[in-house]
Amino acid sequence: MKFTDVILQTSAKILVFIILTFSIYVLFAGHNNPGGGFIGGLITASALVLLYIAFDVKTVHEILPIDFKIVGAVGLMIALLTGIGSLVVDEPFLSQTFWYEDLPLFGKTELTTALVFDLGVYLAVVGTTMTIILSIGEDE
Amino acid sequence: MSSLSGTVIIEVLVASMVLLGTVLSLLSALGFIRLPDIYTRSHAATKSITLGILFILLGTFIYFLFTHRVVSIRLLLGIVFVFLTAPVAGHLIARSAYRSGVKMWDKSAKDELRSDLKKLNQLEQYHSGEQSYNRESSYP
């Protein structure tokens, strides 16, 4: 029996955008406020899980043709490369630095290399969580 | 001798809003204990608690706005989010309870959904012939 609930699907379409926006906010707020890559990745994964609950796996795969195992691997690779990047400029492994830059929309912004590492953590968490949930949830 | 300054008004407003929200949540919990079956309980659990949380969050928002001069977008987003999700969650719980055959209260007067579902089943059987899945047995 196919499960279709118009109320759930319509509200999920709106809610997913709110949750994804909040996860991006949490990811970028992580340096000076509560938040960071781990919790941002979990919130993104929960938004995707809401999509998978409201629609079925096949429909979501058509909209988002993403292999989450690759997402997790790319995240780990980014985190590793930020660590190796500090070796290139003759600093210890995983050293970090920051500088200020005038961005067009945000004005004077503090840019850190820790954000790139956080992005790697974010992608790794999304990939791992979605891989676990999808492999449990699939039939057969 | 004006004793009623602006901060006092704000504080009284915030205190009464938070108190009202708490009382509404308490009423909701009482309704959850006192009411007889799952449908009336979900009525109590979704409506008054949503309003209670709305009052508490709005009181917090006003407090931080006037004492700390902080416009917390997260609180506004939380209000919108709770307003969107709580009724949908109540709807889904009540719907899945009905579909899995949870009985209504003995003194319930009328079950209008049952006749509609019967009509739907007949329509489906008419269209799909013998292969139709017999869902009738699972209804109360």
Side-chain angles (χ1 to χ4, degrees):
Chain A
M1 186 166 85
K2 207 180 163 206
F3 174 81
T4 48
D5 190 335
V6 180
I7 296 176
L8 176 63
Q9 290 182 351
T10 315
S11 58
K13 279 176 203 162
I14 305 166
L15 290 174
V16 161
F17 285 105
I18 299 179
I19 302 174
L20 284 179
T21 314
F22 186 64
S23 77
I24 300 295
Y25 164 77
V26 164
L27 170 66
F28 284 110
H31 201 64
N32 299 315
N33 284 310
F38 186 75
I39 189 75
L42 283 183
I43 295 173
T44 304
S46 69
L48 293 174
V49 167
L50 177 64
L51 267 187
Y52 277 106
I53 290 174
F55 304 90
D56 52 1
V57 175
K58 207 185 276 177
T59 318
V60 183
H61 265 305
E62 280 172 15
I63 306 166
L64 283 174
I66 301 172
D67 190 354
F68 287 103
K69 290 192 275 296
I70 295 174
V71 173
V74 167
L76 277 182
M77 202 52 125
I78 291 174
L80 186 65
L81 284 179
T82 52
I84 292 176
S86 62
L87 289 178
V88 173
V89 290
D90 220 12
E91 292 281 333
F93 184 61
L94 279 176
S95 304
Q96 57 144 330
T97 179
F98 67 96
W99 68 97
Y100 291 94
E101 191 89 42
D102 272 327
L103 293 179
L105 203 60
F106 302 101
K108 189 180 175 189
T109 313
E110 184 187 13
L111 294 178
T112 61
T113 52
L115 177 67
V116 186
F117 184 78
D118 242 8
L119 201 68
V121 174
Y122 172 85
L123 288 178
V125 169
V126 171
T128 315
T129 317
M130 293 312 294
T131 307
I132 292 172
I133 289 173
L134 284 182
S135 54
I136 290 174
E138 267 169 10
D139 300 338
E140 307 302 303
Chain B
M1 202 181 125
S2 72
S3 59
L4 209 64
S5 64
T7 49
V8 175
I9 297 176
I10 293 302
E11 275 172 5
V12 168
L13 180 69
V14 166
S16 51
M17 281 180 97
V18 172
L19 199 64
L20 184 60
T22 322
V23 168
L24 275 171
S25 305
L26 182 67
L27 279 179
S28 172
L30 285 179
F32 201 75
I33 297 173
R34 291 287 299 156
L35 287 173
D37 69 345
I38 186 169
Y39 307 106
T40 47
R41 275 181 182 174
S42 81
H43 175 89
T46 50
K47 285 187 178 60
S48 44
I49 241 186
T50 311
L51 196 64
I53 289 173
L54 176 97
F55 270 119
I56 293 173
L57 288 180
L58 211 59
T60 319
F61 178 75
I62 292 172
Y63 176 77
F64 277 106
L65 183 64
F66 284 100
T67 58
H68 294 257
R69 303 278 166 210
V70 175
V71 180
S72 177
I73 301 294
R74 271 169 293 174
L75 279 173
L76 290 181
L77 207 63
I79 291 171
V80 173
F81 198 77
V82 169
F83 234 53
L84 277 176
T85 48
V88 176
H91 156 77
L92 280 174
I93 291 170
R95 174 189 154 115
S96 51
Y98 192 84
R99 294 244 161 170
S100 56
V102 176
K103 288 210 169 26
M104 289 169 85
W105 189 30
D106 299 333
K107 292 177 189 165
S108 301
K110 207 171 181 185
D111 186 359
E112 287 185 332
L113 188 56
R114 189 173 155 77
S115 58
D116 280 354
L117 278 174
K118 237 179 205 165
K119 259 184 236 163
L120 183 76
N121 271 349
Q122 281 167 359
L123 210 67
E124 273 182 2
Q125 271 175 2
Y126 176 74
H127 281 301
S128 62
E130 295 299 308
Q131 285 192 327
S132 171
Y133 176 57
N134 185 21
R135 290 182 294 176
E136 185 66 34
S137 55
S138 66
Y139 294 137

